[in-house]
Amino acid sequence: AGSLGNIDLALDQAPTTMDLKGQVAENTLSISGDWGPLMPAPNLDLLLDLKVPSTSAVAALAGYEIGDFGVMEMSARTRIADGVVSIDDIVTTLDGEQATSSIRGNISDVVLLGGVNISINMDTEALNRLIDVLNIELPVPLPPEVSLSAKIEGHKEGLNINDIDVQVRDEGTEIKLTAEVRDILKSRQITGDVQASIDSLNRLSKYANMELPALGALELAGQVQSNKDNYQLQNLDAQLNADNLNLKVTGGVEDLVGVAGIDAMADLVIDSFSEQNIAELEKLLASFDIELPVEMLPQSARLSTRITGSLEQLGLADIDAEVIDQGLKLSATADVKNVLKPEGVLSLIHISEPT
């Protein structure tokens, strides 16, 4: 319902006013503004407003089942002038019980994809639906509470995603990622910083696909980099503080998705073996079919080593260990080719009285 204005005038002489309101299925659509003249070059300046009571209502138009995200509202100003198509004042919001997200910004040249300036905000459910639609396979499940904000800026020859801010929360877990993606249409170069605070190591069991011990708080910081499909973790600084146990790991991982190319230094200090630590270490080693010799555990221990390899073959080099028990101090140096399947062990042991 409405008016297209004076079509004869708009064809080749001057602008005319358009004002249309109607429905497509259950979706309310409004188009208003000026259009024409169309010759010799088209001109228009229109404001589009679309309100969808449920995203499932546009499934037929999209060609596949979208599901019910909630109420979607979209508005944008579309202009054609001097042969250039632009979209300004883009505002798209999605608000439902399951998902909320928004897209805001403008594109100064739609045909050449130039002058892109768009801000995006998404939550967990919206990200899950997007991942399903794009048929993306994640190596780990998406945490229950995720928020993402970012800016898409640039043009077709250099389209970037800047100011990426990802907040992840799960029970006892908080992770923050700030990053940027350069040239998303070609090289997809990612640089970013990650920080994590986890109250117990076993919170990560479902993401590591293995049972981890319920040892104390983990603090982690590092830099994420990638080139296309290769994701790296560099400048890793992680500390695990548990009952009478402290572990510090520094280094990096060349293949973050496949957990390969590990090169890190680890320093472990155990002031005493508590019942909780023993129980959790037994559980961890049992997953690798290794039995912890509880009756042989010393009063205290210290270990430093370089960790290299992958989850399939994890090597320990330059091991420097020291244990103290019942008036004796035992020092050892060693190398282990694969700690997951102990082989190629070379060690030198020295025993003396403790100072």
Side-chain angles (χ1 to χ4, degrees), residues 5 11 35 39 81 84 91 106 121 139 147 193 231 241-242 257 308:
L11 287 177
W35 67 293
M39 298 180 185
V84 177
V91 179
N106 57 76
N121 290 276
S147 63
D193 296 309
Y231 297 89
N241 294 300
V257 176
T308 59

Side-chain angles (χ1 to χ4, degrees), residues 26-326:
E26 301 175 13
N27 314 306
T28 303
L29 176 66
S30 171
I31 303 174
S32 60
D34 297 327
W35 67 293
L38 297 184
M39 298 180 185
N43 286 270
L44 61 82
D45 188 345
L46 298 176
L47 181 63
L48 283 71
D49 278 289
L50 174 66
K51 185 171 183 178
V52 179
S54 169
T55 52
S56 60
V58 299
L61 298 177
Y64 50 80
E65 184 177 348
I66 296 176
D68 185 8
F69 279 73
V71 178
M72 183 178 77
E73 296 186 49
M74 184 188 77
S75 65
R77 183 182 182 186
T78 303
R79 293 189 291 180
I80 302 178
D82 300 324
V84 177
V85 181
S86 63
I87 303 178
D88 299 321
D89 305 327
I90 300 170
V91 179
T92 302
T93 59
L94 188 66
D95 190 4
E97 293 182 0
Q98 293 183 311
T100 59
S101 67
S102 68
I103 300 174
R104 301 172 184 269
N106 57 76
I107 304 173
S108 62
D109 191 331
V110 175
V111 176
L112 298 179
L113 196 60
V116 178
N117 189 346
I118 296 175
S119 298
I120 298 175
N121 290 276
M122 302 187 77
D123 67 2
T124 310
E125 187 59 30
L127 286 168
N128 269 321
R129 297 293 179 91
L130 182 62
I131 289 168
D132 289 342
V133 169
L134 297 178
N135 197 27
I136 297 174
E137 292 187 9
L138 295 178
V140 296
L142 204 63
E145 188 177 342
V146 181
S147 63
L148 179 149
S149 64
K151 291 182 179 179
I152 302 176
E153 300 173 311
H155 47 81
K156 183 170 63 175
E157 299 304 321
L159 196 61
N160 307 316
I161 305 180
N162 300 321
D163 300 333
I164 300 173
D165 189 343
V166 181
Q167 306 277 347
V168 177
R169 292 181 179 85
D170 200 348
E171 187 177 1
T173 301
E174 287 193 15
I175 301 173
K176 180 178 181 180
L177 172 67
T178 56
E180 64 178 21
V181 184
R182 313 297 297 178
D183 195 8
I184 61 175
L185 298 180
K186 294 179 182 177
S187 61
R188 297 195 302 275
Q189 297 175 343
I190 299 175
T191 57
D193 296 309
V194 61
Q195 292 181 319
S197 179
I198 303 160
D199 65 359
S200 180
L201 193 61
N202 70 333
R203 303 287 193 192
L204 300 178
S205 296
K206 61 182 177 181
Y207 305 112
N209 294 320
M210 63 182 294
E211 188 66 27
L212 295 174
L215 295 175
L218 173 66
E219 299 288 335
L220 180 149
Q223 294 178 337
V224 179
Q225 294 189 0
S226 81
N227 191 349
K228 287 194 174 179
D229 297 326
N230 180 34
Y231 297 89
Q232 302 176 2
L233 178 62
Q234 299 180 346
N235 299 323
L236 170 66
D237 186 352
Q239 291 198 44
L240 176 68
N241 294 300
D243 182 23
N244 300 317
L245 181 151
N246 178 268
L247 172 65
K248 181 176 182 179
V249 178
T250 58
V253 182
E254 289 295 321
D255 181 0
L256 193 56
V257 176
V259 194
I262 300 170
D263 190 353
M265 289 297 301
D267 292 285
L268 173 66
V269 176
I270 302 175
D271 294 325
S272 64
F273 286 90
S274 66
E275 291 184 3
Q276 179 184 352
N277 286 346
I278 291 174
E280 296 299 338
L281 288 172
E282 283 183 312
K283 186 187 301 182
L284 175 63
L285 294 176
S287 62
F288 298 108
D289 295 325
I290 300 174
E291 184 177 350
L292 181 68
V294 177
E295 66 281 355
M296 296 178 61
L297 291 177
Q299 292 173 341
S300 64
R302 177 192 60 80
L303 170 72
S304 66
T305 184
R306 182 182 178 189
I307 306 172
T308 59
S310 66
L311 284 183
E312 283 72 34
Q313 182 164 334
L314 195 64
L316 302 182
D318 303 326
I319 298 173
D320 183 6
E322 179 182 280
V323 298
I324 295 177
D325 187 51
Q326 297 181 0

